Amino acid sequence: MPRAAGAALTGACPQSPPAGGPGGARAGSPASEEEAGSEVLSHCSSASEGASAAEEGAGSEAAGEPGQEEEAEDRLKEHMDNLLDKSAKTRQAALQSLRLAFSSKTLSEFLLERRLMLTDSLERCLKKGKGEEQALAGTVLTLLCLQMGSGPEGEEVFRSLKPLLVSVLTDSTASPGARQSCATALGMCCYIAAADLEDLVSCLSCLEGIFSPPSAGEGGSAPTQHGPLHCSALQSWSLLLTICPPSHIKSVLDNRWLKLPPLLSSSSVALRILAGETIALVFELAQDVEEDLCHQDTEFLRAQLKVLATESNKYRAKTDRRKQRSIFRDILRFIESGEYQEETIRFGLECMYLDSWARQRTYQAFKEVLGSGIRHHLQNNELLREIFGLGPPLVLDAAALKASKVSRFEKHLYNSAAFKARTKARSRVRDKRADVL
């Protein structure tokens, strides 16, 4: 059973300036007055969107009618039957529909008695399907495990398909999309449902073999060509690190974490950033188990991080350079001073804080799988609420729902204030440029 990813604040959450946290928020951390104005605009817009999501998320549960639920269940049954169709196009369409349904709704009761049939169908798609079908099947499997939770049902789903996931992931002839999906599925399902340390260690080893080539093990340079597969494998590996027992964390700290710095030289900006965040996570876990990573290798690492935090090479895209500098400044600040830039996540009438690298990694992993459905699941999915320490789902009456609504006039005021703040910030920057000229 996954451990809780840290303390969270729930209940009505007042609007306040955002803390430039990791992930998406960290990528937009202000490095100048112009960026600060954009940050204000971004926050006000997200606050307005969050209020709308509160209305939609809270109202959707109350608006459901028995007739509509029966119709939706009939459609789901039809999609499950179509997974056995002879046409690959029909199977892919069914997988796509199931992916959308599982990511946007909580269906644990409906799926409980159908999990074995669905698991068999997904196994067939992974074995006999090609490319996109395998990738979709891996995603639906992840969502099925998320719906089943960390109990015996989820463990049963994970154990039955773990060998097949490993087989597709390590098959160099399989399509990159299928291998990437299986890397994500292996990490997520293990995080959710693995009950034995042996399963956890074997999954970590398998994922490590994907993102860490042999030449990187002894301090060599990593190959310059990386793709989404390596990013998914590293993300799953770092996610599983957050639930490792101290004994295994110490073995990672002894030598295996040294496979990460060579990835900072990758040509992929996504992998460079993910490697940097994983290094910060390793330092955080070292603090938790009271281990010291300060030796000659970390001095060279800090030099690498400083270069990435100030890089201005013109051959990289401007947006990539800005995003990389922002994130690596946060990483370097944490490694040098232990300071973490907190982020606030709002959903409905609640909010939670991402106040550690482990908590940030966990949230980003679930967000990548659930997409826009992350808010609904944070409100209603018992597994996610347990992981993030949110307590039981809130039960809201009609008066509370009405009180949570934000009028169009209030949204307009938010947007007007954001526009004014951005204009002022940019005007100051333009004035300074004029003085220089």
Side-chain angles (χ1 to χ4, degrees):
M1 179 179 296
R3 71 181 182 188
L9 175 69
T10 60
C13 187
Q15 301 295 344
S16 58
R26 181 180 290 105
S29 297
S32 66
E33 291 185 5
E34 179 178 2
E35 291 176 335
S38 299
E39 182 72 13
V40 172
L41 174 64
S42 174
H43 169 60
C44 291
S45 298
S46 64
S48 176
E49 293 168 1
S52 298
E55 302 170 19
E56 296 169 1
S60 60
E61 295 294 317
E65 297 179 359
Q68 293 177 340
E69 291 181 3
E70 291 178 6
E71 184 180 348
E73 289 182 359
D74 289 340
R75 287 197 298 268
L76 287 174
K77 292 175 185 177
E78 182 181 351
H79 295 323
M80 291 181 188
D81 292 338
N82 286 340
L83 293 181
L84 301 177
D85 196 272
K86 292 183 179 180
S87 169
K89 188 175 181 180
T90 301
R91 295 195 302 271
Q92 289 181 23
L95 287 167
Q96 188 73 269
S97 298
L98 291 174
R99 181 186 68 83
L100 292 173
F102 292 0
S103 62
S104 60
K105 300 177 183 177
T106 47
L107 302 164
S108 54
E109 292 184 6
F110 172 79
L111 293 172
L112 188 60
E113 61 185 20
R114 298 173 178 84
R115 69 185 186 282
L116 297 180
M117 179 192 71
L118 183 55
T119 302
D120 290 342
S121 299
L122 293 175
E123 181 178 8
R124 185 176 182 274
C125 292
L126 284 169
K127 281 183 177 179
K128 299 184 177 181
K130 301 293 182 182
E132 185 179 355
E133 182 179 348
Q134 289 180 304
L136 286 169
T139 302
V140 173
L141 172 61
T142 303
L143 293 168
L144 174 62
C145 199
L146 193 153
Q147 293 274 357
M148 290 295 95
S150 57
E153 296 81 7
E155 183 182 356
E156 182 182 26
V157 172
F158 169 61
R159 281 188 172 276
S160 62
L161 289 185
K162 177 193 169 187
L164 185 55
L165 290 174
V166 172
S167 175
V168 176
L169 174 59
T170 55
D171 183 4
S172 59
T173 62
S175 74
R179 298 179 68 194
Q180 178 188 355
S181 179
C182 287
T184 300
L186 185 65
M188 290 292 293
C189 293
C190 182
Y191 179 89
I192 293 169
D196 297 333
L197 178 60
E198 183 180 347
D199 287 329
L200 178 60
V201 173
S202 65
C203 288
L204 280 166
S205 178
C206 178
L207 292 164
E208 186 178 326
I210 300 298
F211 71 79
S212 177
S215 60
E218 300 299 329
S221 59
T224 56
Q225 296 301 320
H226 292 104
L229 170 62
H230 301 86
C231 292
S232 294
L234 180 55
Q235 177 164 309
S236 292
W237 185 81
S238 59
L239 174 67
L240 295 182
L241 275 189
T242 64
I243 59 172
C244 280
S247 59
H248 191 76
I249 290 294
K250 290 181 179 180
S251 70
V252 171
L253 298 178
D254 286 341
N255 50 25
R256 293 163 70 180
W257 79 275
L258 294 177
K259 296 181 179 181
L260 297 173
L263 298 178
L264 297 174
S265 303
S266 170
S267 60
S268 167
V269 63
L271 187 61
R272 290 198 302 273
I273 290 173
L274 193 54
E277 292 178 337
T278 304
I279 289 170
L281 172 64
V282 169
F283 271 76
E284 182 178 86
L285 295 175
Q287 293 176 3
D288 292 343
V289 297
E290 299 180 349
E291 288 287 324
D292 189 6
L293 290 181
C294 293
H295 50 81
Q296 59 181 4
D297 296 304
T298 59
E299 293 305 316
F300 177 69
L301 171 62
R302 291 181 184 183
Q304 278 186 292
L305 295 176
K306 287 180 181 177
V307 170
L308 292 168
T310 58
E311 187 178 41
S312 58
N313 292 325
K314 299 297 183 182
Y315 65 85
R316 301 198 194 279
K318 185 176 181 180
T319 54
D320 287 348
R321 294 199 307 268
R322 179 180 296 178
K323 181 178 180 180
Q324 175 181 293
R325 288 196 299 265
S326 173
I327 294 177
F328 276 97
R329 280 197 298 269
D330 290 341
I331 294 170
L332 188 60
R333 186 185 305 113
F334 176 79
I335 290 177
E336 290 182 341
S337 64
E339 179 185 346
Y340 181 86
Q341 215 164 0
E342 189 179 88
E343 180 182 5
T344 303
I345 305 296
R346 293 181 173 86
F347 50 97
L349 300 179
E350 302 172 88
C351 65
M352 69 177 183
Y353 296 138
L354 303 184
D355 52 8
S356 67
W357 291 100
R359 194 169 173 79
Q360 181 256 357
R361 166 55 58 234
T362 306
Y363 174 75
Q364 289 296 332
F366 280 100
K367 183 180 178 182
E368 182 170 319
V369 171
L370 292 169
S372 60
I374 182 67
R375 286 178 174 173
H376 172 84
H377 281 268
L378 283 173
Q379 287 177 282
N380 301 286
N381 189 305
E382 293 182 0
L383 172 69
L384 261 69
R385 295 187 69 85
E386 178 187 351
I387 289 173
F388 291 105
L390 300 173
L394 297 183
V395 179
L396 303 175
D397 55 18
L401 290 174
K402 186 176 182 180
S404 69
K405 292 184 178 180
V406 178
S407 66
R408 289 188 177 182
F409 179 68
E410 290 175 308
K411 294 177 186 177
H412 174 71
L413 291 179
Y414 263 122
N415 292 330
S416 297
F419 178 78
K420 187 175 181 180
R422 183 182 64 178
T423 302
K424 285 183 176 180
R426 289 183 174 177
S427 296
R428 287 195 295 270
V429 174
R430 292 190 185 104
D431 291 343
K432 289 181 180 179
R433 290 173 181 168
D435 292 340
V436 173
L437 294 175

